[in-house]
Short mmCIF file of all heavy atoms in Angstrom, two decimals:
data_model
loop_
_atom_site.label_atom_id
_atom_site.label_comp_id
_atom_site.label_asym_id
_atom_site.label_seq_id
_atom_site.Cartn_x
_atom_site.Cartn_y
_atom_site.Cartn_z
N GLY A 69 -14.49 54.75 12.77
CA GLY A 69 -14.57 53.73 11.73
C GLY A 69 -15.13 52.44 12.19
O GLY A 69 -15.49 51.56 11.40
N GLY A 70 -15.39 52.31 13.45
CA GLY A 70 -15.91 51.09 14.08
C GLY A 70 -17.45 51.01 13.96
O GLY A 70 -18.11 51.93 13.43
N SER A 71 -17.96 50.01 14.56
CA SER A 71 -19.38 49.70 14.52
C SER A 71 -19.91 49.39 15.87
O SER A 71 -19.22 48.87 16.77
CB SER A 71 -19.70 48.51 13.59
OG SER A 71 -19.32 48.80 12.20
N LEU A 72 -21.25 49.77 16.08
CA LEU A 72 -21.96 49.39 17.32
C LEU A 72 -23.36 49.15 16.93
O LEU A 72 -23.90 49.69 15.94
CB LEU A 72 -21.90 50.56 18.37
CG LEU A 72 -20.67 50.65 19.27
CD1 LEU A 72 -20.88 51.95 20.12
CD2 LEU A 72 -20.52 49.43 20.11
N ARG A 73 -24.04 48.31 17.80
CA ARG A 73 -25.46 48.11 17.55
C ARG A 73 -26.18 48.38 18.87
O ARG A 73 -25.81 47.79 19.91
CB ARG A 73 -25.68 46.56 17.21
CG ARG A 73 -27.14 46.27 16.87
CD ARG A 73 -27.26 44.80 16.44
NE ARG A 73 -28.66 44.40 16.14
CZ ARG A 73 -29.21 44.59 14.95
NH1 ARG A 73 -28.44 45.04 13.93
NH2 ARG A 73 -30.44 44.24 14.69
N LEU A 74 -27.15 49.24 18.79
CA LEU A 74 -27.99 49.58 19.87
C LEU A 74 -29.30 48.87 19.76
O LEU A 74 -29.84 48.70 18.63
CB LEU A 74 -28.27 51.06 19.98
CG LEU A 74 -27.03 52.01 20.01
CD1 LEU A 74 -27.52 53.39 20.02
CD2 LEU A 74 -26.17 51.65 21.02
N SER A 75 -29.87 48.40 20.91
CA SER A 75 -31.12 47.73 20.93
C SER A 75 -32.06 48.41 21.91
O SER A 75 -31.54 48.89 23.02
CB SER A 75 -30.96 46.24 21.20
OG SER A 75 -30.28 45.60 20.18
N CYS A 76 -33.34 48.28 21.71
CA CYS A 76 -34.36 48.81 22.58
C CYS A 76 -35.44 47.76 22.73
O CYS A 76 -36.00 47.23 21.73
CB CYS A 76 -34.91 50.11 22.18
SG CYS A 76 -35.92 50.96 23.39
N ALA A 77 -35.86 47.54 23.94
CA ALA A 77 -36.92 46.53 24.18
C ALA A 77 -38.07 47.22 24.93
O ALA A 77 -37.81 47.83 25.94
CB ALA A 77 -36.46 45.35 24.88
N ALA A 78 -39.27 47.13 24.46
CA ALA A 78 -40.40 47.68 25.15
C ALA A 78 -41.05 46.58 25.96
O ALA A 78 -41.32 45.48 25.50
CB ALA A 78 -41.42 48.16 24.15
N ALA A 79 -41.26 46.82 27.29
CA ALA A 79 -41.85 45.81 28.12
C ALA A 79 -43.07 46.45 28.94
O ALA A 79 -43.08 47.67 29.24
CB ALA A 79 -40.78 45.36 29.12
N GLY A 80 -43.95 45.57 29.33
CA GLY A 80 -45.16 46.00 30.01
C GLY A 80 -46.42 45.67 29.30
O GLY A 80 -46.40 44.86 28.33
N ARG A 81 -47.49 46.25 29.76
CA ARG A 81 -48.83 45.92 29.18
C ARG A 81 -49.04 46.78 27.99
O ARG A 81 -49.77 47.76 27.99
CB ARG A 81 -49.86 46.11 30.23
CG ARG A 81 -49.71 45.21 31.44
CD ARG A 81 -50.78 45.34 32.48
NE ARG A 81 -50.63 44.41 33.57
CZ ARG A 81 -51.59 44.25 34.53
NH1 ARG A 81 -52.63 45.04 34.58
NH2 ARG A 81 -51.35 43.36 35.44
N ILE A 82 -48.38 46.35 26.90
CA ILE A 82 -48.41 47.01 25.60
C ILE A 82 -49.43 46.47 24.63
O ILE A 82 -49.43 45.21 24.46
CB ILE A 82 -47.01 47.12 25.02
CG1 ILE A 82 -46.09 47.84 25.94
CG2 ILE A 82 -47.03 47.74 23.59
CD1 ILE A 82 -44.59 47.63 25.53
N LEU A 83 -50.30 47.25 24.06
CA LEU A 83 -51.18 46.82 23.08
C LEU A 83 -50.69 46.92 21.70
O LEU A 83 -50.79 46.07 20.87
CB LEU A 83 -52.55 47.47 23.22
CG LEU A 83 -53.26 47.34 24.56
CD1 LEU A 83 -54.56 48.21 24.59
CD2 LEU A 83 -53.63 45.88 24.83
N SER A 84 -50.11 48.06 21.37
CA SER A 84 -49.55 48.35 20.05
C SER A 84 -48.34 49.32 20.17
O SER A 84 -48.28 50.13 21.00
CB SER A 84 -50.63 48.92 19.13
OG SER A 84 -51.69 48.15 18.94
N ILE A 85 -47.43 49.07 19.22
CA ILE A 85 -46.26 50.00 19.07
C ILE A 85 -46.35 50.60 17.71
O ILE A 85 -46.40 49.89 16.65
CB ILE A 85 -44.90 49.24 19.28
CG1 ILE A 85 -44.94 48.64 20.68
CG2 ILE A 85 -43.84 50.31 19.17
CD1 ILE A 85 -43.61 47.89 20.96
N TYR A 86 -46.35 51.89 17.59
CA TYR A 86 -46.43 52.59 16.35
C TYR A 86 -45.06 52.95 15.86
O TYR A 86 -44.20 52.12 15.70
CB TYR A 86 -47.45 53.75 16.42
CG TYR A 86 -48.85 53.25 16.74
CD1 TYR A 86 -49.24 53.18 18.10
CD2 TYR A 86 -49.65 52.74 15.80
CE1 TYR A 86 -50.57 52.69 18.44
CE2 TYR A 86 -50.96 52.24 16.08
CZ TYR A 86 -51.35 52.21 17.39
OH TYR A 86 -52.59 51.71 17.69
N ASN A 87 -44.83 54.24 15.70
CA ASN A 87 -43.51 54.69 15.26
C ASN A 87 -42.45 54.38 16.31
O ASN A 87 -42.63 54.61 17.47
CB ASN A 87 -43.55 56.17 14.98
CG ASN A 87 -44.36 56.49 13.75
OD1 ASN A 87 -44.71 55.68 12.91
ND2 ASN A 87 -44.85 57.73 13.74
N MET A 88 -41.30 53.94 15.86
CA MET A 88 -40.17 53.71 16.75
C MET A 88 -39.04 54.62 16.22
O MET A 88 -38.90 54.92 15.03
CB MET A 88 -39.70 52.21 16.68
CG MET A 88 -40.64 51.28 17.19
SD MET A 88 -40.12 49.59 16.84
CE MET A 88 -41.24 48.66 17.82
N ALA A 89 -38.17 55.02 17.09
CA ALA A 89 -37.15 56.00 16.76
C ALA A 89 -35.96 55.97 17.67
O ALA A 89 -36.04 55.39 18.78
CB ALA A 89 -37.70 57.47 16.77
N TRP A 90 -34.90 56.52 17.15
CA TRP A 90 -33.64 56.75 17.93
C TRP A 90 -33.34 58.30 17.89
O TRP A 90 -33.41 58.84 16.76
CB TRP A 90 -32.47 55.98 17.46
CG TRP A 90 -32.57 54.49 17.71
CD1 TRP A 90 -33.16 53.55 16.88
CD2 TRP A 90 -32.20 53.82 18.92
NE1 TRP A 90 -33.09 52.34 17.53
CE2 TRP A 90 -32.54 52.49 18.75
CE3 TRP A 90 -31.63 54.24 20.14
CZ2 TRP A 90 -32.30 51.49 19.73
CZ3 TRP A 90 -31.40 53.31 21.06
CH2 TRP A 90 -31.70 51.96 20.90
#
Side-chain angles (χ1 to χ4, degrees):
S71 299
L72 276 177
R73 184 179 180 87
L74 307 181
S75 295
C76 188
R81 297 183 176 184
I82 298 167
L83 297 176
S84 298
I85 303 180
Y86 298 95
N87 294 337
M88 296 172 169
W90 288 94

